[in-house]
Amino acid sequence: MDKYKKLATNTLIFAIGTFSSKVLSFLLMPFVTRMLKTGDYGSADLIQQTANVLIPIVFLQINSAALRFALDKESNKADVFTVGIRTTVKGFIVFLLFAYPMSKIEINDFKFGQYVVLIYAFVLISGTRQLCQQFVRGCGHVKTFAIDGIIATTTTLLFNLLFLGPLHWGITGYVVAIIASDACSIIFFFVTQKLWRFVKVKGVDKKTKWDMLKYSIPLMPTIILWWIINVSDRFMVTYFIDSSANGLYTAASKIPNFVIMFSSIFIDAWQLSAVDEYDKEGTADFFTKVFRVYSGGIFTIASALILLCQLFTRILVAKSYYDSWQFVPVLVIATSMSCLVNFLASVYMAEKKSVMAMVTALSGALTNVVLNLILIPRMGAVGAAVATVISFVVVFAARGVNTRRFIKINFKTPIILGEIAILAAQCVVMLVMKSGIKMYIIEAVLLCGMFIFNLEPIKELLGLVLDKFLKKNKKAE
């Protein structure tokens, strides 16, 4: 199958499974924000984000190694999955030793001691699900991966409606709904793919084990560094202000996830193509063409989202959360830059250069922490959003320069700078003018400018895909 057609096919498959789960997070927002007060929503988010940052630490980010090594056609899949399972079990046993000290941690009005059991259950179940997900995807079972997304969407919805509705479990119900949904996914993977066949009692190849750990361990701090850039601001907002302010900031951060929704659908498929096509003839041209369309699509969606952010906020959250819209435009820019950074991660993945992924992420994490400490006390939660934007710009620049050692992607820098300038202008107009017909006219004009910037690359790729498809059909005839 032609590489462009294969990428398009896999993207469509992942879209079927991923789109529903991403849309669910938005559809649930009106219900969740009505069931939980701003402070409770902020606390529930801290529990979830704490578990998410602990997972790569506890399990040494072994799920990423399971994906990358399962992609290698010559690899022994049983060895790969067994190393993943053993690392998960051993990591969780060690993690149990830290239960007591964790229970003593407090951040302003948030006490970890109340939720230690929830955090431990979340880490174990979600970490195991991620391992199963990535292994199945690496083995090429993309349809199973997509079906799991639909199942996860359905179960998350049902559990949330039950636990937050009739049972009124509040914060606990919100977190338990995620845990229960992840548990259902684990069962689904084991039953449909018979994953027990890939678990060895003994006889695991030691080279596979050490190669996987050599790849995954540098990714562990990388994920933590990403967490610092993406989530540490929520802890700092809670510390410098309070949980209610973090609740508003968290609600605002959900809306830019529309950008991530489209990005993640593509990136899941792109990682498979990036590894499969790497080191083949025309790789740089392939990466360049795909990046141009990908970045253009991301910026266009971001531009439309800034224009509609007040409307989306009014629809998606309860009235008490409406003021959160003011954080959305800046967070949209941050999210867009993070999507470009994730594209470049595919180069490190193909090269198995996980150390360089860590080093470049470190530059952004340090920038983020310093700017959060400076800007949040002076600008409030908006300062946290600004710090996140600058951090992702720093990482993208670092990776853009560094990846040229492996593959020379033509980023079309003037175009990217123009697109960022349009988003920045939209942000300023929205935050300064706040409302009115004039504001929306200006925003609409800027959105049209973004479309004009990206007409050519989109037409180019569509033409290329159609050309390849038609040529293949002619040969078949």
Side-chain angles (χ1 to χ4, degrees), residues 4-20 142-143 145-147 150 262 264-270 272-273:
Y4 291 99
K5 186 179 178 183
K6 182 178 180 181
L7 176 59
T9 301
N10 284 339
T11 301
L12 179 61
I13 293 172
F14 283 121
I16 294 171
T18 304
F19 189 78
S20 58
V142 292
K143 291 181 180 178
F145 182 89
I147 293 170
I150 298 172
F262 290 97
S264 62
I265 290 170
F266 171 79
I267 288 296
D268 283 342
W270 168 244
L272 304 183
S273 292

Side-chain angles (χ1 to χ4, degrees), residues 96-165:
L96 289 173
L97 301 175
F98 296 89
Y100 179 75
M102 181 181 293
S103 68
K104 298 300 179 182
I105 300 175
E106 295 183 15
I107 301 178
N108 203 339
D109 56 348
F110 180 78
K111 299 178 181 179
F112 278 90
Q114 296 175 275
Y115 307 108
V116 167
V117 174
L118 279 178
I119 292 172
Y120 268 77
F122 196 120
V123 168
L124 176 61
I125 301 301
S126 185
T128 304
R129 186 209 177 196
Q130 289 178 25
L131 172 65
C132 296
Q133 267 187 318
Q134 300 309 321
F135 177 73
V136 168
R137 183 156 71 102
C139 290
H141 303 298
V142 292
K143 291 181 180 178
T144 301
F145 182 89
I147 293 170
D148 171 69
I150 298 172
I151 292 173
T153 300
T154 304
T155 54
T156 301
L157 174 62
L158 293 176
F159 286 132
N160 266 290
L161 292 175
L162 174 63
F163 298 152
L164 295 181

Side-chain angles (χ1 to χ4, degrees), residues 380-453:
V382 173
V386 172
T388 303
V389 171
I390 297 173
S391 300
F392 279 122
V393 170
V394 169
V395 179
F396 179 70
R399 288 191 173 183
V401 172
N402 180 256
T403 54
R404 291 187 68 79
R405 296 168 50 203
F406 313 116
I407 182 170
K408 290 180 171 56
I409 302 173
N410 186 348
F411 296 109
K412 303 291 182 182
T413 304
I415 293 177
I416 290 180
L417 291 176
E419 291 167 327
I420 294 174
I422 290 175
L423 293 183
Q426 285 186 271
C427 190
V428 171
V429 169
M430 182 69 68
L431 294 178
V432 172
M433 300 183 71
K434 297 188 184 298
S435 63
I437 297 298
K438 185 178 179 180
M439 181 195 77
Y440 282 106
I441 291 174
I442 296 173
E443 291 284 347
V445 170
L446 290 169
L447 175 59
C448 290
M450 187 67 79
F451 272 114
I452 293 171
F453 259 103

Side-chain angles (χ1 to χ4, degrees), residues 229-414:
I229 297 173
N230 284 304
V231 184
S232 65
D233 48 4
R234 302 182 194 179
F235 286 85
M236 291 191 183
V237 168
T238 301
Y239 176 78
F240 284 113
I241 310 174
D242 55 34
S243 292
S244 293
N246 181 55
L248 292 174
Y249 188 77
T250 299
S253 69
K254 300 295 183 182
I255 295 176
N257 282 346
F258 271 114
V259 181
I260 293 179
M261 176 176 69
F262 290 97
S263 170
S264 62
I265 290 170
F266 171 79
I267 288 296
D268 283 342
W270 168 244
Q271 288 177 336
L272 304 183
S273 292
V275 173
D276 192 45
E277 298 297 328
Y278 204 74
D279 287 334
K280 293 183 180 179
E281 185 178 353
T283 299
D285 185 56
F286 179 50
F287 272 63
T288 295
K289 283 184 170 67
V290 173
F291 176 81
R292 287 180 64 196
V293 176
Y294 171 72
S295 60
I298 290 299
F299 283 127
T300 302
I301 293 168
S303 180
L305 194 55
I306 292 176
L307 169 65
L308 300 171
C309 72
Q310 291 183 355
L311 175 62
F312 283 162
T313 303
R314 193 178 298 278
I315 294 172
L316 294 173
V317 302
K319 187 176 181 180
S320 58
Y321 287 78
Y322 179 71
D323 287 345
S324 65
W325 76 263
Q326 62 191 309
F327 309 132
V328 173
V330 184
L331 287 172
V332 166
I333 299 177
T335 301
S336 302
M337 294 307 303
S338 76
C339 292
L340 301 192
V341 168
N342 286 336
F343 182 93
L344 294 181
S346 62
V347 177
Y348 295 129
M349 181 181 180
E351 285 277 352
K352 293 183 179 177
K353 299 292 185 181
S354 52
V355 173
M356 288 313 303
M358 177 187 68
V359 172
T360 51
L362 177 61
S363 64
L366 292 175
T367 302
N368 186 258
V369 171
V370 171
L371 291 178
N372 272 330
L373 292 172
I374 295 172
L375 298 179
I376 293 177
R378 291 168 173 77
M379 300 172 62
V382 173
V386 172
T388 303
V389 171
I390 297 173
S391 300
F392 279 122
V393 170
V394 169
V395 179
F396 179 70
R399 288 191 173 183
V401 172
N402 180 256
T403 54
R404 291 187 68 79
R405 296 168 50 203
F406 313 116
I407 182 170
K408 290 180 171 56
I409 302 173
N410 186 348
F411 296 109
K412 303 291 182 182
T413 304

Side-chain angles (χ1 to χ4, degrees), residues 204-248:
V204 175
D205 180 56
K206 290 185 177 180
K207 185 178 186 305
T208 299
K209 172 185 174 182
W210 292 115
D211 284 348
M212 286 180 67
L213 291 175
K214 183 180 177 181
Y215 177 81
S216 70
I217 289 176
L219 288 176
M220 179 180 71
T222 303
I223 298 299
I224 297 170
L225 294 170
W226 281 129
W227 176 88
I228 291 173
I229 297 173
N230 284 304
V231 184
S232 65
D233 48 4
R234 302 182 194 179
F235 286 85
M236 291 191 183
V237 168
T238 301
Y239 176 78
F240 284 113
I241 310 174
D242 55 34
S243 292
S244 293
N246 181 55
L248 292 174

